[in-house]
Amino acid sequence: MESSGTQILIVLIFSGFMLVGAEAFLPSGIFGVIGGLALLIAVIIGYNIYSPMVATYIAIGVLFGTGLVMYLWVKLFPKTKLGKQFLFSCCPDFF
């Protein structure tokens, strides 16, 4: 059971980060919510199949990774062509 649980955990973490990252390019809110739920479920599964110490490391890793993805989105997205078009299309005189 632990092997298949580990595979599910890895798939949920990977897909969660991919969906949260896709939110930057497809801003609708749905991908971010689904990605966040996938990451939350991965942490819950981690607490169910591993010891509390290992599961806490997984939770810290997910929190750190989510913070890193959000930081990169705030720093890099406005510099991309899509980001400039998206951010400056509503009020170009403001910036």
Side-chain angles (χ1 to χ4, degrees), residues 9-26:
L9 184 76
I10 291 170
V11 167
L12 282 172
I13 290 173
F14 180 75
S15 62
F17 281 131
M18 292 300 291
L19 286 168
V20 170
E23 183 67 31
F25 300 104
L26 304 167

Side-chain angles (χ1 to χ4, degrees), residues 12 26 41 62 77-79 90:
L12 282 172
L26 304 167
I41 292 169
V62 166
F77 181 67
K79 297 177 184 176
C90 69

Side-chain angles (χ1 to χ4, degrees), residues 20-69:
V20 170
E23 183 67 31
F25 300 104
L26 304 167
S28 65
I30 295 173
F31 293 111
V33 169
I34 294 173
L37 286 174
L39 292 171
L40 179 66
I41 292 169
V43 170
I44 292 170
I45 289 174
Y47 275 102
N48 284 329
I49 63 174
Y50 293 115
S51 69
M53 183 63 96
V54 173
T56 302
Y57 288 145
I58 292 170
I60 290 171
V62 166
L63 285 174
F64 178 75
T66 304
L68 181 66
V69 167

